[in-house]
Amino acid sequence: MKKSLQLISNDLCGKIFGKKVFLASLLLAFSTIFYAQENITAIRTNVAGFSSTWTDVDVTGSSVITLLKSTSSTTSPAMDFDSYNGETLNFQARRTSGSGAAEFIVTVSISTDNGVTWTVLGTRAPTSNMVISNQAPFDLSSYSGTEVKVKFSVAGTNDTVGVSIDNLKITGILPFCTWNGSAWSNTVGPDEFTEAVLDGPYTTAGDGDIIAKKLTVTSFGSLIINSGTNVIILEEFINNNTAGSVLVESNGNLVQIIDVPVNVNVGDITVKRNTSPLKRLDYVLWSSPVQYQYLQSFSPSTLPTRFYTYNPTSNIYVAVPAPSTTFFEKGKGYLIRTSDTHPVTPTIWSSTFTGFPNSGTISIPVTTNTYNAVGNPYPSTLDADGFIYENSLVEALYFWRKENGAANPAYATYTLAGGTANTAGGSALIPTYAIQVGQGFIAKSTSTSLIFKNSMRVADNDDLFFKSASSNEKSRLWLDLTNTSGLFCQTLIAYLPSATSGVDNGIDGRIFSEPANGATLTSIIGSESSFIIQGKGTFVNTDVVPLAFKTAVAGDFTISLSNVDGLFANNAQGIFLKDNLTNTVTNLNSGAYTFATSVGSFLDRFEVVYQNSILNAKDFTLYDVVVYVNNSDVVVNTGQSIIDTVKIFDLRGRLLSEKTNVNASEASLTIAAGNQIVIVQVVDTNGVLVTKKLIK
């Protein structure tokens, strides 16, 4: 189930906005359904501490809420009645001293338009000055399926006489269903309006993913969220069994959606996470998805001196003094070396976290404009784009992935444009929007805090820390710089609507921690030559992207096209590397470019271009290529130019026919009969590409 939180939220909103019909059909469909009394908003017992949720005007008192003036009122936060039935308002009240009858009447009103207009529900008149007592409840069930606010006020003709109220409680009936180990009590199982109770063993691989409003594991229940599956809960997760009874496997997700200021979960869980293959003495930047996990017990065989935190003042890692008695802090990244018994050959590090699952808003105090080691604090994947937007980040996110002793850059890089690897090995080492469970990273702050929220959590099931991803609105190309000694650097050039030719916050990413004894390939924006990721606006084939090549090692290097997407897919657009030193142009779609170099920084040697400016383009243009149908064949004629390759695609991008190494000015290709529009791509022996459409 690969859905971003945004898509999940949209699905839920679709159901919620249509909830009256949905709930009616739901109740008719469930032959057996159970109900539980739930607090819709927190019980209010005093004045202090409610300024951010309840709105008070001219309210006095401390242990009770006292209304004396004609302007006195207290208003509830907006309450969503979407999934409840039988909503009820209860409260207690007493008179204050005095004898004016009008002042002893409290009026209760309700609003369905966020407080713009109010409807009076009724009044209550407490009879005692001394004893606070229960008042007759208000039935709010006619407002099921809406969002409401409730307000309390008094007449207040005498500013020393009025009403004190206490224990304000709004409740509703929330449907729930129980799993007995083999079946749900309501047959169909829970949904986003229903509380789920696991009273027997449940595995998502065998019993299915879960979406529920709340989820409770009883002392007789258990839950395994298997790899590639998800449990999605709108509100809290409650485990009344042991930590071992709830297991989130690597590549599984326990997602909680609604943002809450305080974590309302109950009980501990176990979370497993596998890294990409590592060697002995390699490091991982970890972040815990649970609270109360000790560093040393997380990796018992790692030397106590090999646990580090990042110092944002000095920009270096410093050792944790006592990892055996130090908990992972929420949202903080820790650089930890593999076990001393870890194999010397690349092997997955399987790790286990045990503790209280993090949820809700988590704010990490930082100093503005500093680099900080933070990390995904949840037992589910995190939307990197959401994190960037929420924190108004300017710089990229950086993910440690360095083989011990290697001369390559230490960090993979991610921005809104995409990600780049820092280690050869393909797309599995490229970070994407989904920051994996347990993954730490470096982020440069723009304020005094870095914030994580439940709304950033996603149900993504990639099995390693880094994976490649594509986007329909982006057209991107990745270039790899390599040599035979294993040096590697990858750079990304991305065309997307939100970018410009200048420096774009959150899109363009500078290289972090350039290796002193390696080599790098970056792109140049203005006077800066350090961009490992560059975003650009709408693509035009006259664009030129200058590259910066820096090396501490002399010898032969190779620049190759690692991956493409968008309009560059299927060789639809030529991608050329221009070497200004040798005055040569190489079609990277056809192969890599190898060159010799001395040690140094070369800021004007290489450019990425999309037209071969050295060749005489007029000898092979759109107008020189003739494409026509002869019986069942498609014939391509290029006049004086020599054809290297011809490919024919349908409008969906499927390859219908291909002929390579033509070495002639004419070629014939056979495709299936039928009326259709096809795209013919012709590449001559100089690497120049021409595309034409043909109706066959």
Side-chain angles (χ1 to χ4, degrees):
M1 180 178 181
K2 288 193 175 182
K3 272 191 169 184
S4 70
L5 178 61
Q6 181 180 1
L7 291 177
I8 291 171
S9 298
N10 287 341
D11 289 348
L12 293 177
C13 286
K15 291 180 180 177
I16 286 172
F17 288 135
K19 74 281 177 198
K20 291 186 177 179
V21 174
F22 180 84
L23 281 175
S25 60
L26 183 72
L27 294 173
L28 289 172
F30 289 179
S31 59
T32 303
I33 196 162
F34 300 89
Y35 296 94
Q37 197 66 232
E38 298 285 342
N39 291 327
I40 297 176
T41 191
I43 301 173
R44 185 171 186 188
T45 58
N46 54 52
V47 173
F50 284 88
S51 59
S52 62
T53 54
W54 289 70
T55 302
D56 292 334
V57 178
D58 291 334
V59 170
T60 63
S62 56
S63 61
V64 294
I65 303 118
T66 300
L67 309 175
L68 301 177
K69 301 179 180 181
S70 59
T71 54
S72 297
S73 67
T74 183
T75 304
S76 74
M79 295 173 291
D80 189 353
F81 284 3
D82 275 331
S83 55
Y84 296 92
N85 294 293
E87 297 86 352
T88 304
L89 166 63
N90 288 275
F91 69 99
Q92 295 177 320
R94 67 171 173 84
R95 299 180 178 187
T96 60
S97 59
S99 58
E103 284 86 351
F104 297 145
I105 298 175
V106 58
T107 299
V108 180
S109 305
I110 194 166
S111 173
T112 58
D113 55 10
N114 201 34
V116 177
T117 58
W118 293 91
T119 300
V120 174
L121 290 170
T123 60
R124 296 293 183 264
T127 58
S128 174
N129 286 349
M130 302 296 295
V131 179
I132 195 160
S133 59
N134 293 327
Q135 303 299 301
F138 284 94
D139 181 1
L140 307 181
S141 60
S142 62
Y143 293 92
S144 294
T146 57
E147 186 174 271
V148 305
K149 287 185 174 182
V150 174
K151 180 172 68 173
F152 297 80
S153 58
V154 294
T157 58
N158 184 331
D159 288 353
T160 62
V161 179
V163 176
S164 292
I165 56 179
D166 198 7
N167 293 323
L168 282 62
K169 180 168 65 174
I170 298 100
T171 62
I173 297 172
L174 178 69
F176 75 90
C177 57
T178 301
W179 173 264
N180 64 9
S182 59
W184 289 103
S185 60
N186 65 352
T187 304
V188 298
D191 57 25
E192 64 268 27
F193 301 140
T194 311
E195 180 177 357
V197 178
L198 302 182
D199 202 36
Y202 192 99
T203 62
T204 51
D207 302 316
D209 287 10
I210 294 176
I211 297 178
K213 186 176 180 66
K214 299 180 182 180
L215 178 62
T216 299
V217 178
T218 72
S219 58
F220 300 102
S222 63
L223 171 63
I224 297 176
I225 305 175
N226 300 102
S227 177
T229 66
N230 306 289
V231 169
I232 301 172
I233 309 167
L234 271 69
E235 297 179 359
E236 67 259 40
F237 172 78
I238 298 171
N239 179 23
N240 290 323
N241 208 333
T242 63
S245 67
V246 177
L247 170 63
V248 183
E249 291 185 340
S250 186
N251 191 30
N253 286 300
L254 174 60
V255 183
Q256 291 175 265
I257 290 179
I258 295 178
D259 282 317
V260 291
V262 178
N263 188 349
V264 292
N265 290 337
V266 175
D268 292 344
I269 67 172
T270 301
V271 181
K272 291 189 176 181
R273 187 66 213 169
N274 297 334
T275 68
S276 51
L278 303 169
K279 297 180 181 179
R280 183 175 179 269
L281 305 183
D282 284 351
Y283 286 83
V284 172
L285 194 55
W286 288 102
S287 178
S288 177
V290 301
Q291 297 180 49
Y292 314 124
Q293 170 69 64
Y294 285 110
L295 293 169
Q296 188 73 68
S297 62
F298 168 74
S299 186
S301 298
T302 295
L303 291 177
T305 54
R306 293 297 180 259
F307 295 82
Y308 299 89
T309 57
Y310 191 80
N311 186 323
T313 302
S314 61
N315 286 319
I316 60 173
Y317 288 95
V318 294
V320 176
S324 62
T325 57
T326 301
F327 289 125
F328 279 89
E329 293 183 28
K330 288 187 293 184
K332 190 171 182 178
Y334 294 83
L335 191 68
I336 302 174
R337 200 171 76 178
T338 56
S339 163
D340 264 21
T341 60
H342 195 84
V344 295
T345 55
T347 304
I348 290 173
W349 178 359
S350 297
S351 59
T352 301
F353 297 92
T354 302
F356 181 60
N358 291 323
S359 184
T361 300
I362 296 171
S363 180
I364 312 299
V366 296
T367 301
T368 305
N369 294 324
T370 58
Y371 291 98
N372 299 269
V374 293
N376 180 0
Y378 304 116
S380 62
T381 45
L382 184 83
D383 185 353
D385 292 2
F387 180 80
I388 292 171
Y389 284 125
E390 175 69 31
N391 292 283
S392 302
L393 299 187
V394 174
E395 299 289 343
L397 305 181
Y398 300 100
F399 299 85
W400 178 280
R401 182 59 178 88
K402 181 179 175 65
E403 183 176 321
N404 188 52
N408 296 327
Y411 296 86
T413 308
Y414 181 83
T415 72
L416 298 174
T420 57
N422 69 320
T423 304
S427 63
L429 299 177
I430 298 177
T432 71
Y433 82 97
I435 301 175
Q436 297 301 316
V437 174
Q439 178 74 66
F441 56 93
I442 300 290
K444 187 177 184 181
S445 61
T446 58
S447 66
T448 57
S449 64
L450 289 168
I451 296 173
F452 297 90
K453 291 184 175 181
N454 278 354
S455 55
M456 300 175 189
R457 298 168 73 169
V458 293
D460 184 284
N461 299 115
D462 284 345
D463 59 349
L464 292 176
F465 271 25
F466 305 131
K467 275 288 182 182
S468 63
S470 62
S471 171
N472 291 332
E473 68 171 6
K474 300 171 186 175
S475 295
R476 300 176 291 187
L477 62 97
W478 286 261
L479 298 176
D480 287 355
L481 173 74
T482 57
N483 75 353
T484 56
S485 299
L487 292 183
F488 176 87
C489 184
Q490 185 176 85
T491 191
L492 167 63
I493 301 166
Y495 293 86
L496 61 161
S498 55
T500 69
S501 58
V503 178
D504 300 304
N505 293 342
I507 294 177
D508 299 309
R510 297 170 176 85
I511 194 169
F512 192 75
S513 184
E514 290 191 31
N517 56 342
T520 59
L521 182 69
T522 55
S523 61
I524 300 171
I525 304 177
S527 60
E528 287 193 74
S529 61
S530 59
F531 290 93
I532 202 81
I533 298 173
Q534 181 178 168
K536 299 178 74 69
T538 303
F539 175 78
V540 291
N541 65 3
T542 55
D543 193 29
V544 176
V545 184
L547 302 177
F549 169 62
K550 303 174 185 178
T551 179
V553 179
D556 290 340
F557 281 84
T558 297
I559 296 175
S560 60
L561 195 60
S562 172
N563 195 16
V564 296
D565 65 9
L567 63 85
F568 298 114
N570 299 318
N571 292 337
Q573 169 61 53
I575 302 170
F576 301 94
L577 181 71
K578 183 179 180 182
D579 186 338
N580 292 317
L581 179 64
T582 61
N583 197 33
T584 58
V585 172
T586 300
N587 183 357
L588 294 178
N589 287 321
S590 300
Y593 178 65
T594 299
F595 61 97
T597 182
S598 58
V599 173
S601 296
F602 305 92
L603 305 185
D604 55 6
R605 178 169 180 176
F606 296 110
E607 296 172 338
V608 172
V609 297
Y610 304 101
Q611 294 180 347
N612 191 337
S613 59
I614 292 179
L615 299 173
N616 187 358
K618 71 180 181 62
D619 290 337
F620 184 60
T621 69
L622 183 69
Y623 303 103
D624 296 322
V625 178
V626 177
V627 179
Y628 61 95
V629 177
N630 182 19
N631 296 323
S632 61
D633 292 337
V634 174
V635 180
V636 179
N637 188 290
T638 57
Q640 300 300 314
S641 297
I642 303 300
I643 302 170
D644 177 60
T645 302
V646 179
K647 294 181 180 180
I648 301 177
F649 300 87
D650 65 14
L651 289 180
R652 297 173 62 184
R654 295 178 299 185
L655 182 63
L656 303 178
S657 184
E658 179 181 14
K659 182 170 286 189
T660 59
N661 300 317
V662 175
N663 200 31
S665 60
E666 186 172 284
S668 296
L669 292 84
T670 301
I671 60 175
N675 294 327
Q676 61 177 317
I677 299 174
V678 297
I679 298 172
V680 182
Q681 291 183 356
V682 187
V683 179
D684 75 352
T685 53
N686 292 316
V688 179
L689 180 147
V690 168
T691 301
K692 281 202 168 186
K693 288 183 180 179
L694 176 70
I695 299 177
K696 183 179 185 302

